[in-house]
Amino acid sequence: MLITIDLQSEIPLYLQLKTQLIKGIATGELAEGEPLPSFRQLSADLGINMLTVKKTYDQLKQEGYLTMHRQKGAVVNGQLHARMTDQYVLTLKQQLAPFITEAFCYGMKKAQFTAICNALYEELEEGKEND
Amino acid sequence: MLITIDLQSEIPLYLQLKTQLIKGIATGELAEGEPLPSFRQLSADLGINMLTVKKTYDQLKQEGYLTMHRQKGAVVNGQLHARMTDQYVLTLKQQLAPFITEAFCYGMKKAQFTAICNALYEELEEGKEND
DNA sequence: TATCTGTTATATTAGTAATATAACAGATAG
DNA sequence: CTATCTGTTATATTACTAATATAACAGATA
């Protein structure tokens, strides 16, 4: 899986890495049970510090995406859908609200906003099929 | 307009203030041409530093929500819809992508995600009618 | 026995968030 | 004119996060 890090970006390195790994899990490019690269290898490949990679893995582990395995290292979890709790839905709402409020101010219609979301969703669904 | 600040929150104070002011503009509670409270007054009311309020106003000004007026202070802008550029749409997409990827991983269906967005949109539309 | 792994620890640098305090010039009400 | 409010600017300090460098330790493996 190709991962790119932008050292000029305002987005923290560990977040850039995190979103790309989650996307890989979403599309199935990183399949259930598949081990991720080791800290040292990935940090060397990306040219960043080992602890920055560890921080990403730690968060993914805490959010249920990964499990640490004595022999394989970091392994992609299955059963992720079990994590869609009411609390998650509530948090998602709070996170989306500012974006929708801004779009509304800028005159974006509900239909256009929905279309953007659907397009992003379908991108993932298509990726999931091509495995 | 009622504004509440949570000093315990992980969200920076200036962002808490910013999102609430934008929501006020979205719903029309803060109408076009209406002046906002002065730095000193608002910061005293909220119990935070003047420069924190200024930082919020500065960003709102840069994003086109406000104009500084010699006599009135910070005034709400009209013509916000003119700001919906292609660049904005692109940025919005990039900002939404991580949330959608996460929701997808957690097994949330496209329809449920859309329903959440629509509900948030309609909240604003209703607020806009009651003026 | 080396070597790779994840883990943990310490220290340092840089940037942001937030504060305190102070001073200055423009606008305004008495 | 004077006092007061406004936005603006500047300096300094505290706290936290992001990211790095470096090192050491124990478990797994070839």
Side-chain angles (χ1 to χ4, degrees), chain B residues 13 16 26-27 37 41 43 45 57-58 62 64 80 112 121 127 130:
Chain B
L13 304 183
Q16 293 184 41
T27 59
Q41 186 190 325
S43 61
D45 288 351
Y57 281 25
D58 281 346
Q62 214 215 319
L80 272 170
Q112 186 176 355
Y121 239 96
N130 310 335

Side-chain angles (χ1 to χ4, degrees), chain A residues 84-99:
Chain A
M84 196 179 67
T85 59
D86 288 350
Q87 178 56 48
Y88 166 69
V89 175
L90 187 67
T91 304
L92 179 62
K93 259 175 123 164
Q94 288 169 351
Q95 287 171 327
L96 289 177
F99 294 106

Side-chain angles (χ1 to χ4, degrees), chain A residues 1-7 13-14 16-18 20-21 37-50 52-53 56-57:
Chain A
M1 175 183 184
L2 180 68
I3 295 175
T4 55
I5 294 293
D6 179 6
L7 297 173
L13 304 182
Y14 81 96
Q16 293 183 41
L17 180 56
K18 185 179 174 185
Q20 288 180 69
L21 289 176
S38 71
F39 295 163
R40 285 175 175 80
Q41 185 189 326
L42 186 53
S43 61
D45 287 351
L46 298 175
I48 63 179
N49 194 275
M50 202 187 64
T52 305
V53 176
T56 305
Y57 281 25

Side-chain angles (χ1 to χ4, degrees), chain B residues 9 21 23 27 30 32-33 37 45 48 66-67 69-73 76 91 99 108 123 126:
Chain B
S9 168
L21 289 176
K23 185 166 185 180
T27 59
L30 298 173
E32 252 186 69
D45 288 351
I48 62 178
L66 303 180
T67 305
H69 187 283
R70 268 285 167 222
Q71 293 144 339
K72 298 179 189 171
V76 178
T91 303
F99 295 105
M108 182 178 283
E123 239 178 70
E126 286 168 20

